[in-house]
């Protein structure tokens, strides 16, 4: 018998982000600020001191300290990862056992179900309300009636751009025995500060069934460096550190993260400008939606992107690509990351042209 791939691998396709040289990239929810412009010298000076022949610090202590100071969280509740993607992989593979039920929501971040399937979990998906909000009581009932071992969702949500209020998330945590994994990748954009009023990150010490995921890929602007964190109880944190691969965050990323997270003022200014541009983009799209019925719904946003429902998603997406503007299409929805002022202006102008030609 020739060797053949098992059934979970045989139809798996490598992750396929939009590639190519597009003039304007509004497809991946990255920050439009390149941190290097501001901090490159500091970063490079620190990187030059690294002993490249030596393994990195397995617990990324200095990076964890910078994160701990930035978000005001105890250090022994924090685990650093190679992007929060890696942390999702560690949690789904190690905190759950083969055949355990993991609950995801729809629409939500696709990686949760991806890893759940890869690790042979029983992946269930609960549909959100038609307006894409989440009925927390329904979620609680589902978890309890179906012996859900873990429930994972993004808050605020990628791709819907909507948030679930803190009170509801706490209610969920308190009323299920499932592990609740709250991916707060975009929480930095909601409220008055990084991880503001609606975050449950400060509650991680209180509940053994809560893990909060954070990333430096969005508001912190370090998507290239692959830095993510899990914040959870001391007990869970010890387990996470024991289960992860020893050198999961490299020395260069540890330095980049440490230096950048130490610059709160700069990061706050960037955050405010991103939110300002997000509002401008949102207002521009609302205006177009009043003019063109093809744009059916523009969802409220507490993230750095705008989510739109339109039956013309395909046509709009392709027409924008022809104009060298990349956004994200998901079925009858479009997700557009806030760019800088010029990028948003160009996007809105192009969108108007396209809609005018329908
Ligand atoms: C972008 C994003 C992440 C970040 O992933 P990294 O691996 O840290 O870059 C995590 N969760 C959601 C929902 C995201 O949109």
């Amino acid at each position: 018998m020739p060797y053949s791939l098992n059934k979970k691998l045989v139809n798996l396709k490598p992750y396929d982000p939009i590639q190519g040289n597009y003039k304007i990239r509004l497809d991946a929810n990255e920050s439009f600020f390149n941190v290097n412009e501001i901090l490159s010298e500091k970063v490079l000076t620190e990187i030059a001191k690294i002993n490249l022949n030596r393994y990195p610090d397995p617990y990324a202590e200095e990076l964890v300290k910078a994160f701990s100071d930035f978000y005001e969280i105890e250090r022994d509740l924090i685990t650093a990862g190679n992007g929060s993607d890696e942390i999702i992989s560690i949690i789904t593979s190690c905190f759950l056992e083969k055949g355990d039920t993991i609950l995801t929501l729809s629409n939500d971040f696709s990686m949760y179900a991806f890893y759940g399937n890869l690790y042979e979990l029983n992946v269930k998906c609960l549909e959100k309300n038609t307006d894409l909000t989440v009925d927390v009581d329904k979620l609680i009932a589902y978890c309890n009636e179906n012996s859900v071992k873990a429930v994972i969702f993004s808050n605020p949500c990628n791709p819907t751009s909507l948030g679930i209020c803190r009170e509801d998330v706490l209610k969920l945590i308190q009323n299920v025995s499932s592990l609740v994994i709250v991916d707060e990748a975009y929480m930095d954009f909601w409220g008055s500060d990084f991880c503001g009023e609606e975050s449950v990150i400060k509650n991680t010490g209180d509940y053994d069934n809560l893990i909060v995921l954070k990333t430096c890929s969005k508001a912190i602007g370090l998507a290239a460096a692959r830095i993510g964190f899990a914040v959870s109880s001391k007990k869970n944190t010890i387990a996470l550190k024991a289960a992860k691969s020893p050198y999961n965050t490299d020395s260069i990323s540890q330095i980049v993260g440490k230096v950048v997270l130490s610059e709160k003022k700069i990061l706050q200014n960037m955050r405010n400008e991103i939110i300002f541009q997000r509002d401008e983009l949102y207002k521009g799209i609302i205006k177009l939606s009043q003019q063109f019925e093809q744009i059916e719904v523009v969802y409220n946003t507490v993230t750095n992107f705008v989510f739109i429902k339109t039956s013309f998603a395909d046509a709009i997406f392709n027409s924008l690509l022809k104009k060298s503007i990349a956004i994200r299409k998901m079925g009858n929805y479009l997700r557009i990351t806030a760019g800088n002022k010029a990028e948003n202006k160009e996007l809105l102008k192009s969108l108007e042209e396209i809609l005018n030609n329908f």
Side-chain angles (χ1 to χ4, degrees):
M1 281 280 274
Y3 175 76
S4 58
L5 291 172
N6 66 34
K7 59 180 186 303
K8 64 184 181 182
L9 288 178
V10 72
N11 291 317
L12 209 58
K13 302 268 187 306
Y15 186 68
D16 185 23
I18 297 170
Q19 286 182 330
N21 282 322
Y22 297 101
K23 201 173 67 191
I24 298 181
R25 298 294 304 250
L26 306 176
D27 58 308
N29 294 345
E30 297 146 330
S31 170
F32 57 78
F33 284 106
N34 184 357
V35 137
N36 287 353
E37 287 169 19
I38 306 155
L39 292 172
S40 61
E41 221 162 298
K42 239 180 183 168
V43 167
L44 291 175
T45 309
E46 289 297 314
I47 287 176
K49 296 180 194 159
I50 296 173
N51 290 322
L52 286 171
N53 58 323
R54 300 295 178 191
Y55 280 109
D57 170 2
Y59 304 116
E61 308 255 16
E62 290 191 34
L63 171 63
V64 164
K65 182 179 182 307
F67 181 87
S68 150
D69 292 344
F70 190 87
Y71 287 101
E72 297 172 357
I73 296 158
E74 280 178 64
R75 267 184 264 180
D76 48 9
L77 307 181
I78 304 166
T79 311
N82 190 353
S84 49
D85 230 316
E86 186 209 15
I87 298 190
I88 299 166
S89 169
I90 299 168
I91 294 168
T92 44
S93 61
C94 302
F95 280 64
L96 292 139
E97 295 175 302
K98 185 176 168 177
D100 279 353
T101 300
I102 185 166
L103 181 64
T104 62
L105 305 179
S106 179
N107 299 337
D108 207 333
F109 193 44
S110 60
M111 296 315 289
Y112 310 142
F114 169 84
Y115 285 118
N117 287 316
L118 197 59
Y119 298 127
E120 303 181 46
L121 306 178
N122 177 25
V123 180
K124 294 287 186 201
C125 181
L126 189 64
E127 290 293 323
K128 293 185 180 177
N129 299 328
T130 42
D131 63 359
L132 301 183
T133 56
V134 175
D135 181 339
V136 170
D137 292 319
K138 193 170 137 194
L139 185 54
I140 291 169
Y142 190 100
C143 287
N144 292 331
E145 284 158 21
N146 296 278
S147 308
V148 167
K149 280 281 162 58
V151 50
I152 180 164
F153 56 92
S154 54
N155 190 39
C157 175
N158 171 16
T160 69
S161 68
L162 303 174
I164 307 171
C165 69
R166 179 165 177 275
E167 198 184 326
D168 275 354
V169 177
L170 289 176
K171 186 176 175 189
L172 170 69
I173 298 160
Q174 288 159 357
N175 286 287
V176 297
S177 54
S178 327
L179 176 65
V180 180
I181 304 147
V182 188
D183 183 346
E184 294 196 353
Y186 300 92
M187 190 55 86
D188 296 322
F189 299 110
W190 192 8
S192 56
D193 202 351
F194 290 91
C195 271
E197 299 80 356
E198 303 297 343
S199 173
V200 293
I201 200 165
K202 296 262 165 66
N203 298 94
T204 41
D206 308 336
Y207 301 104
D208 261 337
N209 65 330
L210 171 63
I211 302 180
V212 173
L213 304 180
K214 287 297 297 171
T215 178
C216 287
S217 300
K218 307 286 156 58
I220 309 295
L222 297 177
R226 313 303 306 126
I227 304 165
F229 298 91
V231 185
S232 194
S233 68
K234 286 183 190 172
K235 195 167 107 189
N236 290 343
T237 302
I238 291 168
L240 265 167
K241 284 182 177 163
K244 75 179 186 66
S245 71
Y247 303 114
N248 59 329
T249 55
D250 67 80
S251 300
I252 297 169
S253 294
Q254 289 183 26
I255 290 287
V256 173
K258 183 194 92 171
V259 171
V260 172
L261 282 171
S262 309
E263 300 285 346
K264 195 153 196 175
K265 194 82 206 94
I266 293 175
L267 292 173
Q268 266 161 344
N269 290 338
M270 296 200 305
R271 172 189 183 271
N272 293 342
E273 177 63 15
I274 293 168
I275 291 172
F276 179 80
Q277 291 305 336
R278 187 272 320 273
D279 285 340
E280 293 294 298
L281 176 66
Y282 176 79
K283 283 186 254 173
I285 293 176
I286 286 284
K287 213 166 133 204
L288 288 177
S289 76
Q290 289 158 351
Q291 226 176 315
F292 300 98
E293 61 187 19
Q294 287 92 344
I295 298 188
E296 291 149 38
V297 187
V298 185
Y299 294 88
N300 289 329
T301 172
V302 290
T303 61
N304 65 333
F305 55 88
V306 177
F307 197 54
I308 300 168
K309 186 174 187 189
T310 167
S311 313
F312 297 81
D314 254 320
I316 293 172
F317 172 80
N318 287 317
S319 305
L320 282 172
L321 270 193
K322 282 200 196 106
K323 293 173 183 285
S324 207
I325 301 176
I327 63 168
R328 188 69 196 272
K329 176 178 74 73
M330 301 165 184
N332 284 339
Y333 296 101
L334 294 171
R335 191 193 70 194
I336 308 176
T337 310
N340 64 28
K341 189 175 177 186
E343 289 170 330
N344 292 339
K345 200 172 152 206
E346 179 92 18
L347 177 277
L348 289 168
K349 187 175 119 247
S350 302
L351 199 52
E352 185 170 6
E353 276 167 23
I354 292 162
L355 291 163
N356 257 323
N357 284 330
F358 276 139

